[in-house]
Amino acid sequence: MQHKTQLTLSFLLSQVLLLACAEDLECVPGFQQKVFYIEQPFEFTEDQAVLNLEFDDCKGNNKLNFEVSNPDFKVEHDGSLVALKNVSEVGRALFVHARSEHAEDMAEILIVGANEKHGALKEIFKIEGNLGIPRQKRAILATPILIPENQRPPFPRSVGKVISSEGTEGAKFRLSGKGVDQDPKGIFRINEISGDVSVTRTLDREAIANYELEVEVIDISGKTIDGPVRLDISVIDQNDNRPMFKEGPYIGHVMEGSPTGTTVMRMTAFDADDSSTDNALLRYNILKQTPTKPSPNMFYIDPEKGDIVTVVSPVLLDRETMETPKYELVIEAKDMGGLDVGLTGTATATILIDDKNDHPPEFTKKEFQATVKEGVTGVIVNLTVGDQDDPATGAWRAVYTIINGNPAQSFEIHTNPQTNEGMLSVVKPLDYEISAFHTLLIKVENEDPLIPDITYGPSSTATVQITVEDVNEGPVFHPNPMRVTKQENIPVGSVVLTVNATDPDTLQHQTIRYSVYKDPAGWLEINPTNGTIGTTAILDRESPYVQNNVYTALFLAIDSGNPPATGTGTLHITLEDVNDNVPSLYPTLAKVCDDAKDLRVVVLGASDKDLHPNTDPFKFELSKQSGPEKLWRITKLNNTHAQVILLQNLKKANYNIPISVTDSGKPPLTNTTELKLQVCSCKKSKMDCSATDALHISMTLILLSLFSLLCKSFPEL
């Protein structure tokens, strides 16, 4: 029944075409029917004819051959389409390519459901009313044209025919659209009289798969008589593109010990051919595996999806026993569903076996020895371990911990990142007199945790025996630095301090002698036996060797060891001030014009090297003046300054004015300083201070001073 229905469809289609072409009985080379419709059965039965395809090259069909796009079908020499086996899945279309010595053509077989059959016919032939005979609405019949890509010359070659039922004299066909008068131009052309459509060059489906043209009938003046009618030209795919892997490099990772069937990665290739045909139906295969151990078939690739999975047992997927943790697979992608006629493309997949922490680190020996001198810090021993895991991961890198024997935190251990060794260091100097031996218990672990089935064993711990060697240590001053406070100017030979130094080498019973190491001012000495420090000169707080009232000296304590060891002690002497410095006056020279209106001559200041209360406030005084009239006076401004004022203008001369300054110390100290006063002539802003009347006033003052002293000594005068 199915076969009868298909034959009826084919017969109806051929009758319609015959009616349409009744006016043109010229033989057209190729398939006499371009499109066939068959109803999708439950299954195409092996060797059962599906339909008949009529091909005529108009010259006897010599050496006629057929090719079917689906390898499950073939076309017999008489045009019968038969299935090579029972087939249930075919797709939506089959393409049949026919070639003889004189012609070649392509036909399309559309596979539709029962409810699609009537609709498909109606769409093509526009059945109207209830006449039962398909009739074209327009006078132009432009059936779709199918052209295989990659056709060989000669060109142009006929690919189809447009028919018009109008017989207007002088009418001709005109073709337009993309591929004719639009870019790419000149691919198709039409015989204006016969309506034959031809192609002028080889077509590439991957460049343009479909052309939508328009055909119309025009009169001799170019006016459209009928149309335009759409003419569809489809380029039939040929298997002319190899599969290509475009997303490389392809690198996958799988953890060692992974269960069989673990997905590693996916390989996907691209085929530019028609994805609805077998030309782009890809199948994947592993061509080569390098290396081939421990199994030549470590991996499998899903032929349809391209997923690469492991196929060996987890025991064989052991990184530590493998020749190399890197495998390279040559993957092939083949189109045509993997058939031998398919085109192939290859790519290399690199698969890395990742390490997991399935091997704990183990010390190379159970006990390590180390020797260190007391008082020394630094690395004393390198602890070696072995680990079979990947050195580039945390499953190999070691972490060391001192778990016993380090209460004073004298030791630390760090990992050498290059060798994975544990570098045991002394960070606080060891004392032989306290302990000559130390025993440390050390454990080693990995940065990454071990997998659940693996644990750290006894080999992951070790002991370190450390021997401390005795050395001759220098004596130690107590305290250091030493501090004492003394008054400056204490008598020479005064005792400053008796120092105390002890020898840490308590088991050696050594003697200690003392000496001066640095005494910048040369003020001190030390008894070499008992350490008593005394003065050899006056201590002066105002000395440049004293900084912030503190004098610093260094002393040595030397033991009797072989060789001797030395310890250094620092002594800070804070000097208390005494009133041992007279105040000084400044300035000691002043100038004034003989006709000056402002008789305030100069402001005097006083300073004292001592400290309070042995400095200011200062007392300023003038010696007695000669003559009936006083010539100047001094006025105190504040604790450290006073002002000298003339009581009248003086003649041009040099005057010496004795001024005494007294500090506030107990007892106070006084210093008398002569202020030299120059009285100058001033004309036109120029001061002339050359002396004229020499020092008669000054000499008079000296005589008066002497007279005053005599009066004090001999009051009876």
Side-chain angles (χ1 to χ4, degrees):
M1 182 65 184
Q2 171 187 331
H3 181 58
K4 189 178 293 185
T5 302
Q6 294 165 350
L7 292 177
T8 302
L9 267 171
S10 300
F11 176 77
L12 178 60
L13 214 70
S14 62
Q15 291 301 311
V16 173
L17 289 173
L18 287 173
L19 286 172
C21 301
E23 296 181 6
D24 187 0
L25 300 178
E26 179 186 354
C27 179
V28 178
F31 283 104
Q32 302 306 297
Q33 181 177 332
K34 302 291 187 181
V35 182
F36 296 86
Y37 283 82
I38 58 175
E39 184 178 348
Q40 171 71 57
F42 177 76
E43 184 178 66
F44 291 95
T45 305
E46 181 179 356
D47 293 332
Q48 179 181 349
V50 178
L51 55 80
N52 289 326
L53 305 170
E54 183 178 353
F55 179 88
D56 189 358
D57 66 357
C58 302
K59 292 187 179 182
N61 288 347
N62 190 29
K63 295 184 180 180
L64 175 62
N65 289 309
F66 295 94
E67 294 178 0
V68 185
S69 62
N70 190 321
D72 294 334
F73 293 86
K74 72 174 181 177
V75 177
E76 302 289 0
H77 188 72
D78 62 358
S80 299
L81 176 68
V82 297
L84 297 175
K85 61 180 181 179
N86 294 338
V87 181
S88 57
E89 292 292 334
V90 176
R92 300 290 293 174
L94 295 175
F95 298 98
V96 179
H97 183 209
R99 180 185 291 119
S100 71
E101 285 185 334
H102 303 286
E104 66 176 308
D105 199 4
M106 180 74 72
E108 181 178 15
I109 303 170
L110 300 177
I111 302 171
V112 299
N115 58 345
E116 298 178 283
K117 178 178 61 178
H118 180 72
L121 288 172
K122 185 176 181 180
E123 177 65 23
I124 294 178
F125 299 110
K126 310 295 183 183
I127 298 175
E128 293 183 348
N130 296 315
L131 297 177
I133 301 174
R135 181 173 62 86
Q136 187 180 13
K137 282 187 174 181
R138 298 182 180 230
I140 300 174
L141 176 62
T143 58
I145 297 174
L146 304 176
I147 307 174
E149 65 173 334
N150 303 322
Q151 285 182 314
R152 295 188 295 270
F155 292 104
R157 65 168 65 206
S158 178
V159 293
K161 188 179 181 67
V162 177
I163 299 171
S164 175
S165 60
E166 298 290 340
T168 306
E169 184 178 355
K172 56 184 179 180
F173 293 100
R174 181 166 64 188
L175 191 64
S176 62
K178 180 179 179 182
V180 181
D181 55 355
Q182 300 175 19
D183 289 333
K185 297 179 180 179
I187 295 178
F188 303 101
R189 61 191 184 194
I190 191 169
N191 186 301
E192 297 178 342
I193 305 302
S194 67
D196 285 325
V197 178
S198 59
V199 62
T200 64
R201 68 186 76 162
T202 299
L203 301 182
D204 183 3
R205 190 202 68 86
E206 285 69 48
I208 301 177
N210 296 285
Y211 296 86
E212 295 180 1
L213 308 180
E214 289 185 343
V215 63
E216 55 189 338
V217 177
I218 59 175
D219 60 19
I220 194 169
S221 66
K223 182 179 179 181
T224 300
I225 300 174
D226 193 13
V229 173
R230 175 172 163 177
L231 173 61
D232 290 325
I233 299 179
S234 297
V235 182
I236 305 304
D237 186 43
Q238 301 291 308
N239 192 17
D240 58 345
N241 289 277
R242 293 182 179 276
M244 297 179 62
F245 291 91
K246 294 184 175 182
E247 299 175 357
Y250 297 92
I251 300 176
H253 293 261
V254 61
M255 187 70 69
E256 65 171 331
S258 295
T260 303
T262 299
T263 300
V264 180
M265 61 191 299
R266 172 170 286 188
M267 297 285 288
T268 304
F270 168 78
D271 194 314
D273 291 322
D274 188 352
S275 59
S276 66
T277 69
D278 287 351
N279 295 337
L281 182 61
L282 304 183
R283 293 294 181 262
Y284 299 94
N285 181 41
I286 298 176
L287 296 181
K288 183 180 179 182
Q289 171 190 302
T290 305
T292 59
K293 296 179 180 180
S295 168
N297 299 304
M298 300 282 291
F299 307 95
Y300 165 80
I301 187 167
D302 186 302
E304 296 184 5
K305 297 179 180 178
D307 289 337
I308 299 176
V309 299
T310 62
V311 293
V312 294
S313 69
V315 175
L316 290 180
L317 203 62
D318 185 356
R319 187 184 181 281
E320 286 71 40
T321 61
M322 289 178 171
E323 180 180 307
T324 172
K326 181 172 75 172
Y327 287 83
E328 290 189 348
L329 306 179
V330 178
I331 306 298
E332 176 191 68
K334 182 182 288 188
D335 60 21
M336 296 302 293
L339 294 177
D340 291 341
V341 296
L343 302 178
T344 61
T346 60
T348 298
T350 300
I351 299 177
L352 301 174
I353 312 302
D354 292 337
D355 187 42
K356 62 182 178 182
N357 199 6
D358 55 351
H359 293 88
E362 296 180 343
F363 284 101
T364 57
K365 52 186 177 180
K366 194 62 180 175
E367 185 175 288
F368 295 84
Q369 304 289 333
T371 301
V372 60
K373 292 182 178 181
E374 65 172 332
V376 175
T377 59
V379 177
I380 59 173
V381 66
N382 289 323
L383 309 179
T384 54
V385 296
D387 195 318
Q388 299 180 48
D389 291 314
D390 184 0
T393 66
W396 178 82
R397 291 190 290 269
V399 178
Y400 297 87
T401 307
I402 302 173
I403 58 177
N404 196 13
N406 191 28
Q409 303 300 309
S410 300
F411 303 94
E412 285 184 359
I413 188 166
H414 300 280
T415 304
N416 184 320
Q418 280 73 42
T419 64
N420 221 25
E421 294 177 343
M423 301 181 295
L424 180 63
S425 303
V426 176
V427 293
K428 293 181 181 179
L430 304 177
D431 192 343
Y432 172 83
E433 285 70 32
I434 295 177
S435 178
F437 299 97
H438 297 268
T439 300
L440 304 181
L441 182 61
I442 297 176
K443 71 174 180 179
V444 61
E445 298 175 319
N446 288 131
E447 286 185 3
D448 293 346
L450 295 173
I451 62 175
D453 295 337
I454 305 297
T455 59
Y456 293 103
S459 296
S460 296
T461 59
T463 57
V464 182
Q465 300 292 343
I466 302 168
T467 301
V468 183
E469 293 183 345
D470 188 26
V471 297
N472 188 22
E473 302 172 83
V476 179
F477 285 87
H478 303 282
N480 193 19
M482 301 161 283
R483 303 182 188 276
V484 66
T485 300
K486 297 291 180 181
Q487 276 195 340
E488 64 175 335
N489 299 334
I490 60 175
V492 174
S494 299
V495 174
V496 177
L497 177 69
T498 298
V499 300
N500 178 33
T502 59
D503 192 340
D505 301 306
T506 56
L507 303 179
Q508 298 185 23
H509 306 291
Q510 298 178 128
T511 59
I512 297 175
R513 58 185 180 85
Y514 301 93
S515 65
V516 177
Y517 180 41
K518 287 185 180 180
D519 179 17
W523 292 342
L524 305 173
E525 64 180 0
I526 188 169
N527 186 301
T529 304
N530 61 19
T532 298
I533 300 174
T535 62
T536 60
I538 297 298
L539 306 182
D540 184 9
R541 190 198 64 82
E542 290 75 34
S543 168
Y545 297 107
V546 177
Q547 301 295 324
N548 297 323
N549 304 323
V550 176
Y551 179 70
T552 300
L554 302 179
F555 297 89
L556 299 179
I558 307 166
D559 66 20
S560 58
N562 186 20
T566 301
T568 303
T570 302
L571 173 62
H572 297 303
I573 304 175
T574 300
L575 296 176
E576 294 180 342
D577 186 46
V578 297
N579 195 17
D580 58 347
N581 290 278
V582 297
S584 59
L585 191 70
Y586 60 91
T588 58
L589 174 66
K591 296 180 181 181
V592 65
C593 293
D594 55 1
D595 59 351
K597 296 181 180 179
D598 186 358
L599 298 181
R600 292 175 294 182
V601 177
V602 66
V603 173
L604 300 177
S607 62
D608 196 319
K609 293 182 180 180
D610 294 319
L611 299 176
H612 287 287
N614 297 321
T615 56
D616 60 272
F618 298 111
K619 180 180 179 182
F620 299 89
E621 293 181 305
L622 290 174
S623 299
K624 292 185 178 180
Q625 304 178 46
S626 63
E629 295 183 1
K630 293 183 178 181
L631 300 178
W632 43 70
R633 74 168 184 266
I634 191 166
T635 302
K636 183 176 180 181
L637 297 178
N638 52 36
N639 289 343
T640 57
H641 291 78
Q643 189 170 51
V644 176
I645 303 173
L646 290 180
L647 299 179
Q648 61 184 23
N649 289 110
L650 300 178
K651 293 181 179 180
K652 180 180 178 182
N654 293 332
Y655 300 88
N656 288 332
I657 306 173
I659 300 174
S660 63
V661 182
T662 304
D663 63 25
S664 297
K666 294 182 179 180
L669 296 180
T670 300
N671 180 32
T672 300
T673 304
E674 284 194 344
L675 171 66
K676 183 178 180 180
L677 178 64
Q678 293 182 333
V679 179
C680 309
S681 60
C682 300
K683 295 179 180 179
K684 297 182 180 180
S685 301
K686 292 185 179 181
M687 181 176 283
D688 181 10
C689 297
S690 58
T692 53
D693 297 335
L695 297 176
H696 65 279
I697 295 179
S698 174
M699 293 300 295
T700 304
L701 289 174
I702 293 173
L703 292 173
L704 287 173
S705 298
L706 290 174
F707 180 77
S708 176
L709 289 173
L710 289 173
C711 290
K712 290 182 180 179
S713 301
F714 304 98
E716 64 275 8
L717 295 177

